[in-house]
């Protein structure tokens, strides 16, 4: 598939996603726009992580990620944790941690995972999404988000 057709396909997927979640998007759009109009000095801001645990937080996470990224996508399968990364009172990005694939032969051989593989994998998460808010993406906020992913709050 050439690049133009790929872009068209992704655009169609995104349009379908927006149609499907129109009511939820409308619910959080004003908050998203307000957040994007805030200014923050990342050099002195207090960085904190807020886990999206309630249904409303998870919906808000989905809307913010849909409005921020150009990728159209659904959630990952399996266990997942969604996290907002704040600088003071402003959301500067979102993280999603996902459970690893259960069956991955080369990884299993390399790590010598045996019969207790599934028990070991329960304590491991992959970074499924690392999405900086557009306003601050040019400041390499993605790197800040990754540092936050390895903070004590996450561990």
């Amino acid at each position: 598939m050439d690049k133009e057709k790929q872009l068209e396909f992704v655009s169609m997927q995104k349009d379908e996603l927006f149609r499907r979640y129109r009511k939820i998007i409308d619910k959080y759009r004003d908050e998203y726009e307000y957040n994007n109009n805030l200014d923050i000095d990342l050099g002195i801001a207090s960085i904190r992580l807020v886990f999206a645990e309630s249904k409303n937080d998870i919906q808000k996470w989905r809307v913010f990620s849909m409005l921020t990224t150009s990728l159209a996508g659904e959630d990952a399968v399996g266990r997942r944790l969604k996290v907002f990364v704040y600088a003071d009172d402003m959301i500067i990005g979102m993280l999603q941690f996902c459970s690893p694939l259960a069956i991955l032969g080369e990884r299993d051989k390399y790590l010598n995972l045996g019969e207790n593989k599934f028990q070991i994998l329960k304590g491991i998460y992959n970074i499924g999404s690392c999405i900086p808010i557009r306003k601050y993406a040019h400041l390499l906020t993605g790197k800040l988000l990754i540092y936050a992913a390895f903070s004590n709050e996450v561990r």
Side-chain angles (χ1 to χ4, degrees):
M1 188 184 298
D2 67 4
K3 189 165 182 106
E4 189 174 311
K5 288 189 189 261
Q6 286 176 336
L7 291 173
E8 182 180 336
F9 179 72
V10 169
S11 179
M12 287 172 28
Q13 281 185 309
K14 184 104 178 180
D15 288 345
E16 172 58 30
L17 211 55
F18 270 71
R19 274 193 295 281
R20 189 178 329 150
Y21 294 105
R22 174 59 49 209
K23 287 182 182 177
I24 297 171
I25 290 170
D26 290 344
K27 179 179 176 181
Y28 294 104
R29 186 181 293 275
D30 288 344
E31 186 175 351
Y32 176 82
E33 295 300 333
Y34 172 77
N35 186 79
N36 273 343
N37 288 322
L38 293 175
D39 286 316
I40 197 84
D41 182 348
L42 293 175
I44 61 171
S46 174
I47 306 297
R48 63 188 170 91
L49 305 177
V50 176
F51 289 82
E53 296 176 312
S54 71
K55 181 180 177 182
N56 284 338
D57 285 346
I58 291 169
Q59 287 178 345
K60 178 178 167 181
W61 192 98
R62 177 184 287 274
V63 169
F64 272 51
S65 65
M66 286 171 58
L67 294 175
T68 300
T69 183
S70 61
L71 296 177
E74 294 289 338
D75 274 337
V77 297
R79 295 170 290 125
R80 49 191 183 269
L81 298 169
K82 296 175 187 293
V83 180
F84 289 104
V85 180
Y86 282 82
D88 292 336
D89 292 327
M90 178 185 173
I91 296 171
I92 59 168
M94 290 92 50
L95 296 166
Q96 179 175 238
F97 301 96
C98 309
S99 57
L101 294 172
I103 300 171
L104 195 58
E106 290 302 313
R107 176 210 54 209
D108 297 349
K109 280 192 273 184
Y110 181 78
L111 296 176
N112 199 24
L113 296 177
E115 293 177 15
N116 63 345
K117 169 176 81 170
F118 296 107
Q119 195 62 32
I120 292 169
L121 292 177
K122 281 186 178 179
I124 297 173
Y125 283 88
N126 295 326
I127 298 174
S129 300
C130 176
I131 307 168
I133 293 295
R134 279 191 194 136
K135 183 173 186 176
Y136 289 96
H138 69 284
L139 296 176
L140 303 177
T141 313
K143 289 183 180 185
L144 175 61
L145 297 178
I146 293 299
Y147 286 126
F150 292 99
S151 67
N152 287 333
E153 289 88 342
V154 173
R155 288 190 280 151

